[in-house]
Amino acid sequence: MQFPDRLIQHFDSALRVMAGISVAGRANPAARVADGELDSAQRRHSAGLMRVNHVGEVCAQALYQAQAQFARSPAIREQLLLAGREEEDHLAWTAERLRELGSRPSLLNPLWYAGAFALGTVAATLGDARSLGFVVETERQVEAHLNEHLSSLPPQDAKSLAIVQQMSADEAEHGSAAQALGAQAVPPFAQMGMQAMAKVMTTTAYYL
Ligand SMILES: [Fe+2]
Ligand SMILES: [Fe+2]
């Protein structure tokens, strides 16, 4: 594909992500789960956590798009695109759950998307092995974060729990797949930087 076509394609997917019109390819794991009774504080807490997860998936779209775009090996690009499609399911499921909880996605999504796209571009320009290492570390941090949500979500919120459980399993898969393709470990200072950025994002997205 020529550069202008790619640019238009990216712009199109960025708009779709931010407008919340992504479509899941797989059934929503919450679809067959009965909705539990939540009081208003629990509902607010669930919505805050699911908004954080939704922002994480907005970032995942931007990261995978950028990393796939600049990947050198076609096999690695294929894997990045495949993982990105699964992240689109996560994006659609978390958006649906936010709607059900009577809430909304983060107002800062354009900012998160742009930041993550820039970060993904930097990771990709460091070469495929480092870019894969970045995927491994990101997915590891996201999985740990989702597992915290599994204990923080109200136990009655079975629908959110079902979604987060499936997401956590998928993130582990994405990390393993990137590892198997020859990931080079992210240095400790960069791991800490990523953690600090994630902290800013998750704290802000809970409210905003
Ligand atoms: Fe995800
Ligand atoms: Fe993932």
Side-chain angles (χ1 to χ4, degrees):
M1 217 189 281
Q2 297 296 306
F3 183 71
D5 297 319
R6 283 197 194 184
L7 200 68
I8 290 168
Q9 197 186 44
H10 280 306
F11 194 61
D12 175 64
S13 42
L15 286 180
R16 277 190 301 123
V17 168
M18 281 175 289
I21 49 175
S22 51
V23 182
R26 291 175 293 168
N28 188 327
R32 286 169 186 276
V33 177
D35 216 348
E37 275 292 321
L38 300 174
D39 63 29
S40 63
Q42 288 172 323
R43 188 170 284 271
R44 246 195 333 272
H45 182 53
S46 281
L49 295 182
M50 293 311 273
R51 183 163 40 254
V52 168
N53 294 333
H54 183 264
V55 167
E57 297 302 334
V58 166
C59 292
Q61 283 305 306
L63 288 173
Y64 275 114
Q65 284 273 348
Q67 287 180 267
Q69 156 86 16
F70 299 109
R72 285 154 211 188
S73 136
I76 289 171
R77 177 176 300 125
E78 233 0 87
Q79 170 53 33
L80 294 170
L81 290 173
L82 180 78
R85 276 195 294 277
E86 291 195 358
E87 306 292 6
E88 213 172 324
D89 294 345
H90 301 172
L91 186 71
W93 299 339
T94 48
E96 190 176 344
R97 189 60 191 145
L98 272 173
R99 274 193 299 274
E100 289 169 355
L101 289 165
S103 195
R104 48 148 186 83
S106 169
L107 300 171
L108 302 177
N109 274 343
L111 197 72
W112 304 129
Y113 188 95
F117 197 90
L119 198 60
T121 304
V122 170
T125 54
L126 297 174
D128 283 349
R130 284 177 196 271
S131 185
L132 289 170
F134 180 78
V135 170
V136 170
E137 179 58 20
T138 306
E139 296 286 10
R140 187 189 68 75
Q141 290 188 18
V142 173
E143 193 196 344
H145 195 80
L146 291 173
N147 293 342
E148 275 172 33
H149 282 195
L150 289 176
S151 22
S152 176
L153 279 164
Q156 304 94 308
D157 190 358
K159 277 186 178 284
S160 300
L161 286 165
I163 292 171
V164 173
Q165 248 151 15
Q166 183 60 52
M167 282 167 60
S168 172
D170 291 344
E171 314 308 8
E173 279 282 319
H174 300 156
S176 312
Q179 190 70 64
L181 284 168
Q184 184 179 334
V186 169
F189 76 89
Q191 285 182 19
M192 274 154 52
M194 288 165 72
Q195 243 151 11
M197 271 190 282
K199 184 82 195 154
V200 172
M201 184 272 269
T202 54
T203 312
T204 316
Y206 183 86
Y207 300 100
L208 250 140

